[in-house]
Structures are given as structure tokens and as C-alpha cells.
Amino acid sequence: MPARSKAQQRAAGAALSAKRGETKVGDLQGASKDMYHSMTEEELEDFAKTDHDDLPDRADDD
């Protein structure tokens, strides 16, 4: 499942970095912290690898 916004894609990238031990979990905040705790590394990879050229900055709350 691809990310729906640039913000979601960036948050997934930050959470993935922490999941892999590249950054500290304590440095995460907001959505990235929630994603770290609730998603697997594979799910985070799917969100983080989304091409963000055509994504909105933030997703609508539909």
C-alpha cells in the first residue's frame, strides 16, 4: 500500500530508519512514532518507497 501524502511518506521513512537501528527511536515524534510501533519493517518500506512527485503535501481526511 503506497503512501497517500508526502508527510506520510516522510514519516514512514523516519520510522523505517529507527526500525533498522539507523536513528534513535527517542528522536521520533508524532506519526512516525506511531508508525514505528504499529507497522512492520516491510509495511514501512512500502510506504517509504512511494514516489512522492505526484503526492499532496498532506492527505485529505476522507
Side-chain angles (χ1 to χ4, degrees), residues 2-3 9 12-13 16 42-52:
Q9 190 262 348
L16 179 60
E42 292 78 24
E43 291 171 320
L44 290 169
E45 252 179 48
D46 285 343
F47 275 77
K49 73 178 182 182
T50 303
D51 184 21
H52 62 262

Side-chain angles (χ1 to χ4, degrees), residues 25-52:
V25 178
D27 290 343
L28 298 177
Q29 46 185 293
S32 59
K33 192 173 197 175
D34 292 340
M35 290 172 125
Y36 173 83
H37 291 294
S38 66
M39 298 175 76
T40 66
E41 187 173 335
E42 292 78 24
E43 291 171 320
L44 290 169
E45 252 179 48
D46 285 343
F47 275 77
K49 73 178 182 182
T50 303
D51 184 21
H52 62 262

